Amino acid sequence: MSLGLLPLYAQQSGMAQAMAQAAAKGSAAPVRNAFDAPGSREAIRAAAESLHALLWVIPFILIAYILLAYVMIRFRDKGDGRKPASFHENNPLEFLWTVIPLIVVVSVALHSYPTLSFMEFGGNTPAMTIDVVGHQFFWEYKYPKYGIDISNDTLVVPANQVIDLDLTSVDVIHGFYVPGLGIQMDALPGRITNLWFKAKPGYYKGQCTQLCGADHAQMLISVQVVPEDQFQAWLARHSSQTAAPPPSPAAQAAALPARLSEANSAGRQARGKA
Amino acid sequence: MSTQVATAGTIQPRQYHGVLDWITTTDHKKIGIMYIVFALINAWFGGSLAGMIRLNLYNPDWHLFSPQLYNQLMTMHATIMIFLVLMAAFAGFGNYLVPLMIGARDMAFPKLNAFSFWLLMPAAMMLYGSFFVAGGAAADGWWSYPPLSTAQFSAGHGEDLWILAVLLLGISSIMGAINFLVTVIDMRAPGMTWMKLPLFVWSWVVTAWMLVLAVPVLSGALFMLLSDRWLNTGFYRPALGGDPLLYQHLFWFFGHPEVYIMILPGFGMISHIIPAMSRKKLFGYKGMVMAMWSIGIIGFTVWAHHMFTAGISSTARVYFSMASMLISVPTGVKIYSWLASVWGGVIRFTTAMKFALGFIFTFVLGGLSGLMLAVVPFDILVHNTYFVVAHFHYVLVGGSVMTLFAGTYYWFPKITGRMLSEKLGSWIFWLFFIGLNWVFMPMHLLGIEGMARRVANYRIEFRPLNQFISEGFIFMLAAGLLFTYSVIKALREPKSAGDDPWQTNEIETHFEWATSSPPPAYNFEEIPEIQ
Amino acid sequence: MEHASLASSAAAAHAGLHADPSEHAPQPSFWPILLAGGMGAVVFFVFLVYLGVPLAGILLAAAILGSLVAASGWANTIAVERRRMDPVQTNKDLTRGFFFFLASEAMIFVSYFEYLYYTHFTSAQWPPAGMPRLETTLPGIATLILVGSSFTLNWGIHAFLSGRKSAAKNWILLTIAMGIVFLGMQGFEWGFLNGVMGFTITTGAYSAAYFLMTGFHGAHVTVGLIMLGLVYWRMEKGEYTQQYHMSLKAAEYYWHFVDIVWVFLFFSLYLFQGH
């Protein structure tokens, strides 16, 4: 169903052409989250790590649930005058159910550290650094290498290259979250936080995850990961234009509130047609 | 009743009647009842806000509320539910039961106890009144993170009133906690050694310690926030060398223990109900006590897992991930011990027992998602999404509220002398149990799909699940209505419960069941003693 | 009505229990709700004063006055009621409660210290650029005076316990005087920093922390001085005996607490400046 949104986002970002090309190649399916369609190695590893943790913990949950069901059936009062048991401690048993879960959670935690380390430091040789600046209520992307500064638009990056994002904010705290790429980091005023990813071509959606004011819900993120040649074409198009200053916050605010509902109704229309 | 004429030289107790009786009372039982009624009334307000939230999210096209108003509803829902419902309800049961359970005639400081309760009133008035000031109520979430909550971005005075109200609530909690600690330390009946304390009392000892140490840190953080707003200081202002991240550290240093403050007394309640309804002594008493202390102590060392994506260092992420995971060990000990308490028993499926066993089911799920969230790579995928909303509602509704229902059904006869209808109780349990799973289970999926929390509006692909969730709210609403009706209905019946309607004392001696229902003002004619 | 008693034979033997159990029911009182309402009103009127609402200042003054009346009415009721209670037990309760209260007070200071140290260690330099180094000589003397006042208070209490009442009163007076001198020196430093150095509460995070911590501590010193003043007054009236002097002990603990906090504060704010 999210396919229906594509034309709108494409139009909005001036990417209609590139999108159509990408769609023709079959790479434009929207990536929704790290579990059913991961778009980067980070997302894959994070999802795998989650499943690993889940697999180790599930047995303990299952034991609890099976025991719960069992005792409820087996020990209910059947009115046969059965006397309740009288035991109320068992040190070996208590020792076991303390120590075994302890070992398991420690090993789950330890197991997750290489993944965490990869997610933090795996991209130490970035091909490109992009400055991401949070505003109430839009994102500004600066490509220092190319002198490009775009606001309230799709973030376009080349595929299969390490992209480094330096996040900051000019006003309140925002959260940069793109689940399909397995990335999330807050953008705080007065400090720079850091993210990296290396993605497959595709279209990734995200949104601001840190309550940032009235129009927090409108602060969407779209990331277009395109093959190198298309990226160059995009660069050429943007470099030829004189870099327009970002719209004033007031203009942004005026333009915003309708956006999500427009997106939604456009999405529905497109879906209806499809 | 064997009453002797008061001897000369003693003071005849003064007695007021009607409303004056309630507002002047220093009787821990009456104060406890007032806390519980206060919590129930506020649960209706907080629940109505939840209903409005769910209505707004039913369809993103409706635009039922402006986003600003939505943020106010969301913020106030959390504030009311945490401070005026859960904390007040547990304080109410604690007030009522702790002196009874330790065989005392009252709290150590009865007047301070009344003061703690009455301080809730100005705080509640300021919270509710803030909807009507210019700019409306606080709209920055119950974390109230700066810079959003500074005067620059939240100019409305709702935020000021919110801070002042929470400061007052903090004083109330600290005074209440000190009272509990002194009561339990000094006023136990003869023979009631520490390792004979009922577990509900133990749970309040741990909770009170956490309140005494955690709440002041919130007060300090909020005081600095208020100073930034009013005096134009730069505590959290980056341009002046301040750091908004520091507020998060201070807030969560309070905020995480706060979570355990809201669940530990519930653990204590379950530890009474399960043995009584299984006709068997509690399994692993020592382990239970140690588990609560472990939770209480480790709970102070895990706060930054709320900040995994806030830009904290790699080392901090590794440490806080490990520490957060460790908390699941004592929690697991408690779950298994409760199950072992049932093992070999003769279960009576009363409503209290249904809620207690239902609590185990839902709380284990809340624990599972909590453990998952402690795995940092997973947390990055779902932090600040509906997965987190699902997680803490499983803990606070599937945990705390379920235990409160269980506790209400179990101790209602003691408090009022009347039984709640078991027939209605069964309906209430199933409506609530189905409703809460219906509402909160799909939120896990929404989070995994990537829907951020605290949004007034969402992308259309999230609509079907949101509508499904909103429909489930009707079940919880029905349970709430039916429960309120059941309470009112029971209160109109004659007092026929008897001293020990669940025959608890046939299994193990508990003082509260050894006195009449409801107990006399002085609790025990003679101070009981453990042999 | 029946009252089950679990160990009736043993229970009757407990010391201090009177025959009429209703005598042990706590007394009703209007003071708690009045004080709670008064405190709520104080907080709300502070808000109105901040808003600049006309007459809010008068309302605030009235609310503060009302709270003080409620608090002293409460204290008076307790003093009357305690005459029929077990004084040893009551004092034990109050002392314990007071210690827990100090623990939570300490945690407020902990949050400020955490603020200070966090800011310290995340700054490129300390004091931060453009901020003056704090002068240590005068505060050093103030520290000696405040720490010394802990000793004079202890000697006073020692004198009181060994029956030398006039010496005790003199020591307490000296303690109060030292506290006032300390506050005066702090006030001088505030004035100097504010007026001469242009180091005000809005200059930066560092100055905000400085004024918050010293100000919050100064408020505690003031409360401690009021407590000592009340202690002196009660001693003058001869209300303390060798056994019953709970408020004397409370004032003593509070004063020592304020001193200890200052020692940490002096180290953290004044001595620990190089970085």
Side-chain angles (χ1 to χ4, degrees):
Chain A
M1 60 189 156
S2 37
L3 265 173
L5 273 179
L6 274 179
L8 178 97
Y9 276 99
Q11 203 178 5
Q12 183 193 322
S13 58
M15 279 295 298
Q17 204 186 348
M19 291 288 295
Q21 289 169 0
K25 287 181 191 163
S27 62
V31 172
R32 290 192 307 174
N33 63 60
F35 295 92
D36 55 17
S40 68
R41 194 156 159 67
E42 281 178 289
I44 294 168
R45 283 193 64 170
E49 194 59 51
S50 317
L51 293 178
H52 171 269
L54 196 62
L55 280 179
W56 274 97
V57 179
I58 281 284
F60 295 90
I61 307 296
L62 276 184
I63 290 171
Y65 279 170
I66 291 167
L67 276 176
L68 181 61
Y70 180 77
V71 295
M72 276 166 56
I73 297 163
R74 167 83 172 71
F75 297 112
R76 70 181 195 279
D77 185 1
K78 302 184 190 79
D80 54 3
R82 178 170 56 87
K83 288 271 172 287
S86 62
F87 70 91
H88 57 88
E89 56 186 0
N90 184 336
N91 286 337
L93 191 62
E94 291 176 61
F95 179 77
L96 279 184
W97 72 40
T98 308
V99 169
I100 295 175
L102 185 69
I103 294 168
V104 169
V105 295
V106 166
S107 74
V108 165
L110 289 177
H111 189 275
S112 75
Y113 296 154
T115 305
L116 176 61
S117 171
F118 172 74
M119 293 175 82
E120 286 197 23
F121 307 116
N124 51 8
T125 50
M128 185 194 302
T129 296
I130 299 172
D131 296 335
V132 179
V133 185
H135 296 253
Q136 276 180 324
F137 300 90
F138 62 94
W139 296 98
E140 177 186 3
Y141 304 112
K142 295 181 190 168
Y143 298 67
K145 202 170 161 186
Y146 306 105
I148 293 177
D149 184 343
I150 54 173
S151 282
N152 196 20
D153 204 338
T154 300
L155 174 65
V156 181
V157 294
N160 302 319
Q161 293 184 24
V162 174
I163 310 294
D164 184 61
L165 300 183
D166 285 344
L167 300 128
T168 189
S169 163
V170 295
D171 37 50
V172 301
I173 303 172
H174 301 278
F176 192 85
Y177 172 52
V178 187
L181 296 174
I183 54 174
Q184 173 164 206
M185 183 58 77
D186 287 358
L188 295 102
R191 62 166 63 210
I192 292 172
T193 49
N194 190 267
L195 269 185
W196 72 274
F197 62 91
K198 182 174 159 185
K200 294 192 289 194
Y203 182 71
Y204 303 87
K205 285 187 285 188
Q207 65 199 97
C208 175
T209 46
Q210 195 66 265
L211 180 66
C212 57
D215 285 327
H216 165 55
Q218 308 281 348
M219 207 168 151
L220 304 176
I221 298 166
S222 46
V223 181
Q224 184 71 45
V225 182
V226 294
E228 180 65 29
D229 53 334
Q230 288 175 31
F231 181 69
Q232 292 302 334
W234 180 84
L235 272 184
R237 214 165 42 250
H238 268 269
S239 306
S240 60
Q241 299 161 0
T242 49
S248 72
Q252 282 293 340
L256 270 166
R259 207 179 80 203
L260 192 57
S261 59
E262 278 169 15
N264 283 342
S265 57
R268 264 193 310 286
Q269 281 164 16
R271 200 169 33 146
K273 282 172 201 158
Chain B
M1 192 165 151
S2 64
T3 309
Q4 292 185 5
V5 179
T7 50
T10 62
I11 298 164
Q12 276 292 354
R14 254 177 310 168
Q15 190 61 52
Y16 296 101
H17 295 284
V19 180
L20 280 187
D21 178 31
W22 286 97
I23 69 172
T24 60
T25 189
T26 52
D27 177 352
H28 71 99
K29 296 181 291 300
K30 285 184 178 150
I31 293 169
I33 290 170
M34 288 195 291
Y35 264 113
I36 296 169
V37 171
F38 177 81
L40 187 62
I41 293 170
N42 281 291
W44 272 108
F45 286 119
S48 308
L49 295 180
M52 286 152 90
I53 289 170
R54 283 322 314 170
L55 205 58
N56 188 63
L57 293 178
Y58 188 76
N59 192 328
D61 289 340
W62 284 357
H63 297 289
L64 209 53
F65 306 116
S66 70
Q68 186 63 24
L69 180 59
Y70 178 86
N71 287 350
Q72 294 175 26
L73 298 178
M74 173 273 290
T75 303
M76 296 306 279
H77 165 69
T79 309
I80 290 167
M81 286 303 194
I82 289 167
F83 290 103
L84 304 185
V85 178
L86 290 180
M87 286 176 78
F90 282 128
F93 278 100
N95 259 305
Y96 199 100
L97 294 171
V98 165
L100 280 175
M101 284 178 171
I102 61 173
R105 291 227 149 99
D106 206 292
M107 300 285 274
F109 309 115
K111 290 188 188 61
L112 190 66
N113 203 17
F115 174 74
S116 297
F117 171 74
W118 290 112
L119 209 50
L120 297 180
M121 296 303 145
M125 282 189 239
M126 281 157 78
L127 283 177
Y128 287 118
S130 70
F131 274 111
F132 306 103
V133 300
D140 307 326
W142 85 281
W143 314 340
S144 205
Y145 278 1
L148 183 61
S149 57
T150 57
Q152 193 187 350
F153 300 102
S154 296
H157 295 303
E159 181 67 26
D160 296 321
L161 284 170
W162 183 90
I163 294 173
L164 295 173
V166 175
L167 286 172
L168 281 177
L169 292 169
I171 298 173
S172 160
S173 300
I174 292 170
M175 293 303 152
I178 291 173
N179 214 339
F180 275 116
L181 285 171
V182 177
T183 304
V184 178
I185 293 173
D186 278 346
M187 300 182 68
R188 281 167 288 136
M192 173 82 73
T193 56
W194 282 100
M195 288 317 273
K196 284 182 181 166
L197 275 189
L199 270 169
F200 182 69
V201 179
W202 262 123
S203 73
W204 253 106
V205 171
V206 181
T207 302
W209 255 116
M210 298 183 85
L211 282 167
V212 165
L213 297 182
V215 174
V217 176
L218 173 73
S219 305
L222 288 182
F223 200 72
M224 289 190 267
L225 184 61
L226 196 65
S227 159
D228 272 11
R229 289 178 64 85
W230 286 10
L231 305 176
N232 208 20
T233 53
F235 284 108
Y236 303 123
R237 209 177 299 171
L240 293 176
D243 190 346
L245 198 59
L246 182 53
Y247 175 87
Q248 300 185 16
H249 279 293
L250 292 172
F251 181 85
W252 288 115
F253 184 84
F254 150 80
H256 200 76
E258 171 72 8
V259 175
Y260 297 109
I261 287 164
M262 288 187 284
I263 188 70
L264 281 177
F267 286 176
M269 288 179 169
I270 297 299
S271 302
H272 284 247
I273 295 164
I274 283 187
M277 298 304 170
S278 308
R279 318 304 299 147
K280 195 166 153 279
K281 274 177 85 172
L282 183 76
F283 182 91
Y285 174 90
K286 281 181 197 152
M288 289 290 217
V289 174
M290 283 194 282
M292 278 198 286
W293 275 108
S294 318
I295 292 171
I297 291 164
I298 306 174
F300 274 101
T301 66
V302 300
W303 73 87
H305 67 217
H306 296 268
M307 302 159 58
F308 276 151
T309 67
I312 58 172
S313 72
S314 182
T315 325
R317 276 172 156 186
V318 165
Y319 162 74
F320 283 107
S321 149
M322 179 66 86
S324 310
M325 290 227 164
L326 289 183
I327 284 209
S328 63
V329 174
T331 314
V333 167
K334 296 197 78 76
I335 301 279
Y336 289 128
S337 298
W338 284 321
L339 290 171
S341 304
V342 185
W343 190 280
V346 180
I347 306 176
R348 294 181 306 193
F349 280 103
T350 58
T351 308
M353 187 62 164
K354 283 177 194 158
F355 273 109
L357 295 174
F359 153 81
I360 293 182
F361 179 87
T362 45
F363 187 75
V364 162
L365 273 177
L368 170 66
S369 55
L371 203 103
M372 295 299 295
L373 286 169
V375 180
V376 186
F378 179 73
D379 184 76
I380 290 171
L381 297 182
V382 295
H383 193 83
N384 275 346
T385 68
Y386 261 79
F387 191 92
V388 177
V389 178
H391 158 67
F392 68 73
H393 279 98
Y394 260 96
V395 174
L396 293 180
V397 181
S400 309
V401 177
M402 292 287 276
T403 62
L404 279 169
F405 270 120
T408 306
Y409 271 88
Y410 184 64
W411 280 294
F412 191 86
K414 179 51 60 185
I415 294 172
T416 66
R418 296 143 170 124
M419 306 295 286
L420 281 168
S421 158
E422 284 292 316
K423 202 173 157 190
L424 281 176
S426 191
W427 274 97
I428 292 162
F429 168 74
W430 284 111
L431 281 171
F432 193 76
F433 184 76
I434 291 170
L436 94 90
N437 284 293
W438 185 329
V439 169
F440 300 120
M441 184 72 80
M443 286 186 183
H444 291 109
L445 272 180
L446 269 184
I448 283 173
E449 295 281 319
M451 177 168 161
R453 66 191 284 200
R454 295 175 160 172
V455 288
N457 214 326
Y458 49 80
R459 290 201 301 255
I460 198 72
E461 62 254 42
F462 300 130
R463 195 172 65 170
L465 267 178
N466 270 296
Q467 296 194 337
F468 182 75
I469 289 169
S470 292
E471 283 151 11
F473 181 78
I474 295 165
F475 281 73
M476 297 177 77
L477 182 65
L481 282 169
L482 206 54
F483 174 71
T484 311
Y485 166 74
S486 179
V487 168
I488 293 169
K489 181 168 158 284
L491 288 177
R492 300 167 71 93
E493 284 164 7
K495 294 181 185 180
S496 59
D499 291 359
D500 187 7
W502 312 112
Q503 297 90 38
T504 306
N505 279 348
E506 290 171 15
I507 309 301
E508 196 174 18
T509 302
H510 282 287
F511 288 162
E512 84 265 28
W513 300 111
T515 183
S516 63
S517 301
Y522 41 84
N523 289 350
F524 305 98
E525 195 168 343
E526 289 159 344
I527 295 294
E529 188 177 16
I530 284 204
Q531 284 97 337
Chain C
M1 234 198 285
E2 52 178 358
H3 305 292
S5 65
L6 292 161
S8 48
S9 56
H14 290 309
L17 295 182
H18 299 271
D20 178 10
S22 65
E23 193 191 320
H24 293 278
Q27 295 288 296
S29 170
F30 279 103
W31 300 120
I33 187 171
L34 287 178
L35 185 59
M39 277 184 70
V42 168
V43 168
F44 185 69
F45 292 142
V46 164
F47 172 64
L48 291 189
V49 167
Y50 159 71
L51 290 187
V53 173
L55 297 181
I58 296 170
L59 288 175
L60 176 60
I64 292 175
L65 197 67
S67 300
L68 287 177
V69 169
S72 51
W74 185 338
N76 189 50
T77 318
I78 287 181
V80 172
E81 280 179 6
R82 276 179 61 193
R83 286 181 202 140
R84 68 188 183 95
M85 289 180 181
D86 175 6
V88 177
Q89 183 61 43
T90 323
N91 285 352
K92 214 168 84 184
D93 288 352
L94 282 170
T95 312
R96 225 188 278 287
F98 197 70
F99 270 113
F100 289 129
F101 171 71
L102 288 184
S104 73
E105 284 261 65
M107 286 308 286
I108 299 188
F109 278 105
V110 164
S111 72
Y112 297 152
F113 277 107
E114 187 184 337
Y115 184 88
L116 180 74
Y117 277 102
Y118 183 97
T119 313
H120 187 144
F121 287 114
T122 51
S123 291
Q125 62 184 84
W126 196 260
M131 300 277 174
R133 275 184 84 87
L134 293 176
E135 166 64 35
T136 51
T137 316
L138 191 68
I141 296 169
T143 307
L144 287 180
I145 291 174
L146 194 63
V147 171
S149 74
S150 258
F151 287 95
T152 57
L153 180 61
N154 254 24
W155 291 329
I157 288 167
H158 183 75
F160 172 77
L161 290 179
S162 48
R164 292 175 286 126
K165 287 209 173 149
S166 68
K169 279 191 289 186
N170 287 339
W171 280 121
I172 288 172
L173 262 192
L174 180 62
T175 309
I176 293 173
M178 288 165 87
I180 290 172
V181 169
F182 171 83
L183 276 186
M185 290 170 86
Q186 275 303 116
F188 174 78
E189 195 190 36
W190 274 31
F192 174 75
L193 288 170
N194 248 320
V196 182
M197 304 294 287
F199 182 76
T200 70
I201 192 162
T202 52
T203 309
Y206 171 53
S207 72
Y210 165 80
F211 282 107
L212 176 75
M213 294 176 84
T214 52
F216 199 68
H217 178 266
H220 278 74
V221 175
T222 311
V223 171
L225 285 174
I226 292 170
M227 286 172 83
L228 287 177
L230 289 174
V231 161
Y232 182 83
W233 181 58
R234 291 192 64 183
M235 201 177 268
E236 183 76 41
K237 289 207 313 182
E239 287 186 8
Y240 292 130
T241 64
Q242 303 275 16
Q243 285 87 35
Y244 307 134
H245 48 269
M246 170 59 210
S247 55
L248 176 63
K249 296 302 271 186
E252 183 199 355
Y253 297 142
Y254 196 78
W255 195 253
H256 290 327
F257 169 76
V258 166
D259 270 11
I260 292 166
V261 169
W262 178 260
V263 171
F264 281 103
L265 228 156
F266 180 67
F267 173 79
S268 311
L269 267 176
Y270 295 90
L271 296 185
F272 190 42
Q273 288 192 74
H275 175 49

